[in-house]
């Protein structure tokens, strides 16, 4: 029996149609860093919109995709030629995980994605002095509009504690590897507090920094760095209009140590005025150092009590204080470890929740 040529062609087309459809569904597209569906939170330099650059710990990038494939493109400064940054990756409601970049130009795949929609967070875990990251874009089947994010905003000013230094011993224990191997800004008390309160976060923190005196041969103090994007270089002006926090916490004094009381109080009050000039409506919370020993803790409690009283007397009632209940220092070099950061966040989030009626 003869089969017409038209029938054969029709059958062939029907057999290949599913393959063609699947191929179309699996097309991977590149979405550049300036795509409005990609959001950035923290101190980011947008001079080159194709390569937004950021140094500070805790800066995070968020976006939503559809499909089982997602590649993220990032450049790492690789400062000093050896120091690669660590990232924290969070997908949907799953537990976040930590990775280290290996190259100057990196493309890494988000693993184990199921079909459907996914919301992804990429957070810089390492500090300013480890170098910058440049976010180049995302490869995915489809970039989507993300669900509405938190409208609350918190900023955390501080030193290495706030950065999450020495906290993460999950892969490399204290005393092994290099300094940045135990950095984890994403799981530090600030971002953990913010997530508990359904808020955005920004870390204005730099290891070794003080209010009146910094350690480790650092020539600057926080009042000098407060308006900068690059903390370790004390450079590149930050535009405060980009992020106006509802709450700002100040965790300084660990690197100052016990100082002349009048000098320290005057400097602290002056810094609060500097903060207030940029954030007229922000609730400022002065907190003690979570890793302070008993002598420094007592000094800080006395100083902060006097500072808040002085600020109130000057007419600013939107400043308060919180003293941590215990010392947290089970991490590297007496810093809090990850479990303790969670405890610190529990204390602080309970206080802010009550303060703001959140």
């Amino acid at each position: 029996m003869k089969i017409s040529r038209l029938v054969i062609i029709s059958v062939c087309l029907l057999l290949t149609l599913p393959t063609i459809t699947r191929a179309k569904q699996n097309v991977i597209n590149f979405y550049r860093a300036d795509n409005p569906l990609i959001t950035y939170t923290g101190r980011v330099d947008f001079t080159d919109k194709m390569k937004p650059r950021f140094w500070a710990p805790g800066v995070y990038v968020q976006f939503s995709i559809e499909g089982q494939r997602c590649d993220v493109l990032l450049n790492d400064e690789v400062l000093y030629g050896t120091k690669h940054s660590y990232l924290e990756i969070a997908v949907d409601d799953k537990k976040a995980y930590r990775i280290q970049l290996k190259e100057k130009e990196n493309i890494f795949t988000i693993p184990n994605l199921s079909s459907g929609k996914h919301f992804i967070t990429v957070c810089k875990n390492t500090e300013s002095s480890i170098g910058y990251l440049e976010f180049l874009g995302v490869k995915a089947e489809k970039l989507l509009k993300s669900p509405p994010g938190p409208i609350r905003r918190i900023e955390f000013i501080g030193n290495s504690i706030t950065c999450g230094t020495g906290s993460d011993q999950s892969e490399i224990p204290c005393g092994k590897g290099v300094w940045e191997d135990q950095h984890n800004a994403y799981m530090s008390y600030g971002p953990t507090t913010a997530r508990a309160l359904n808020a955005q976060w920004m870390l204005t923190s730099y290891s070794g920094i003080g209010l009146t005196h910094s350690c480790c041969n650092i020539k600057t103090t926080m009042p000098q760095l407060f308006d900068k994007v690059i903390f370790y270089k004390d450079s590149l002006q930050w535009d405060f209009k980009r992020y106006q926090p509802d709450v700002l916490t100040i965790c300084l004094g660990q690197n100052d140590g016990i100082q002349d009381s009048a000098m320290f109080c005057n400097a602290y009050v002056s810094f609060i005025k500097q903060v207030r000039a940029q954030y007229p409506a922000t609730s400022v919370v002065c907190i003690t150092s979570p890793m302070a020993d008993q002598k420094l803790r007592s000094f800080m409690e006395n100083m902060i009590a006097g500072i808040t009283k002085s600020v109130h007397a000057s007419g600013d009632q939107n400043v308060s204080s919180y003293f941590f209940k215990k010392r947290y220092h089970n991490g590297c070099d007496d810093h809090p470890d990850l479990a303790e950061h969670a405890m610190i966040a529990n204390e602080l989030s309970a206080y802010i929740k009550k303060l703001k009626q959140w």
Side-chain angles (χ1 to χ4, degrees):
M1 182 175 63
K2 293 184 179 180
I3 301 175
S4 70
R5 186 173 180 181
L6 182 60
V7 170
I8 293 173
I9 293 172
S10 298
V11 170
C12 289
L13 286 173
L14 286 171
L15 289 172
T16 58
L17 186 57
T19 303
I20 294 170
T21 303
R22 281 195 301 271
K24 288 182 179 179
Q25 289 176 344
N26 289 334
V27 169
I28 303 299
N29 300 294
F30 175 58
Y31 299 93
R32 304 184 313 184
D34 66 337
N35 192 295
L37 297 180
I38 301 174
T39 62
Y40 303 82
T41 307
R43 300 196 179 204
V44 181
D45 174 21
F46 290 100
T47 302
D48 185 346
K49 294 181 179 180
M50 298 299 104
K51 297 178 181 179
R53 182 179 287 185
F54 44 96
W55 289 259
V59 172
Y60 58 102
V61 184
Q62 294 180 309
F63 52 89
S64 292
I65 60 105
E66 184 172 20
Q68 295 177 270
R69 178 68 182 270
C70 179
D71 295 339
V72 177
L73 287 73
L74 272 170
N75 288 343
D76 188 352
E77 183 180 5
V78 196
L79 194 59
Y80 312 117
T82 59
K83 294 183 178 296
H84 287 280
S85 286
Y86 282 88
L87 306 173
E88 199 80 9
I89 312 297
V91 180
D92 302 324
D93 295 325
K94 297 177 182 177
K95 182 180 179 181
Y97 63 93
R98 186 167 174 260
I99 66 170
Q100 185 180 25
L101 299 177
K102 300 299 182 184
E103 306 292 340
K104 192 171 183 64
E105 298 178 353
N106 300 270
I107 301 177
F108 62 89
T109 300
I110 306 294
N112 305 319
L113 293 178
S114 59
S115 58
K117 300 176 181 179
H118 299 286
F119 180 62
I120 297 169
T121 300
V122 178
C123 179
K124 186 176 188 285
N125 265 340
T126 38
E127 302 187 34
S128 179
S129 57
I130 306 305
Y132 64 71
L133 295 179
E134 291 174 335
F135 193 88
L136 305 184
V138 177
K139 288 183 177 180
E141 291 179 33
K142 189 175 183 181
L143 191 66
L144 305 173
K145 183 178 180 179
S146 294
I151 59 173
R152 299 167 179 168
R153 291 179 170 182
I154 309 177
E155 181 173 353
F156 301 89
I157 292 178
N159 46 46
S160 56
I161 307 164
T162 306
C163 292
T165 301
S167 62
D168 194 336
Q169 305 167 59
S170 59
E171 295 179 20
I172 302 174
C174 300
K176 303 292 183 182
V178 290
W179 179 55
E180 62 270 21
D181 286 332
Q182 291 87 27
H183 288 186
N184 195 324
Y186 182 86
M187 296 301 293
S188 64
Y189 76 85
T192 303
T193 296
R195 291 191 294 272
L197 296 172
N198 191 30
Q200 302 174 45
W201 70 81
M202 183 165 76
L203 303 185
T204 304
S205 56
Y206 182 47
S207 276
I209 206 69
L211 177 71
T212 63
H213 169 77
S214 300
C215 81
C216 318
N217 296 316
I218 295 172
K219 302 292 190 284
T220 52
T221 57
M222 181 53 72
Q224 294 169 270
L225 301 184
F226 175 58
D227 62 349
K228 302 301 193 304
V229 174
I230 313 174
F231 300 140
Y232 82 100
K233 287 186 176 180
D234 184 23
S235 63
L236 199 60
Q237 287 294 127
W238 169 242
D239 181 2
F240 287 100
K241 294 177 182 177
R242 289 188 174 274
Y243 192 95
Q244 287 283 310
D246 299 291
V247 179
L248 176 142
T249 66
I250 301 175
C251 184
L252 295 171
Q254 182 68 43
N255 294 307
D256 297 84
I258 298 174
Q259 299 280 325
D260 175 78
S261 298
M263 183 269 292
F264 187 82
C265 284
N266 288 337
Y268 208 126
V269 170
S270 177
F271 182 55
I272 290 175
K273 290 178 180 178
Q274 181 184 351
V275 168
R276 182 62 71 217
Q278 301 298 338
Y279 302 143
T282 298
S283 297
V284 176
V285 183
C286 307
I287 60 179
T288 51
S289 170
M291 65 181 277
D293 61 20
Q294 187 56 52
K295 288 181 67 175
L296 181 58
R297 174 191 171 92
S298 296
F299 173 79
M300 289 302 303
E301 287 182 1
N302 290 333
M303 293 302 98
I304 289 174
I307 288 160
T308 53
K309 185 177 180 180
S310 173
V311 173
H312 290 168
S314 72
D316 188 348
Q317 302 299 316
N318 203 9
V319 176
S320 63
S321 61
Y322 181 77
F323 304 153
F324 289 107
K325 296 176 181 177
K326 56 175 284 188
R327 186 184 185 197
Y328 298 97
H329 63 123
N330 287 333
C332 305
D333 299 320
D334 262 0
H335 289 78
D337 63 15
L338 290 182
E340 289 178 319
H341 272 282
M343 295 177 196
I344 296 167
N346 283 339
E347 284 196 48
L348 191 56
S349 59
Y351 175 78
I352 293 173
K353 186 176 182 178
K354 184 177 180 180
L355 175 71
K356 301 295 291 183
Q357 295 297 301
W358 285 352

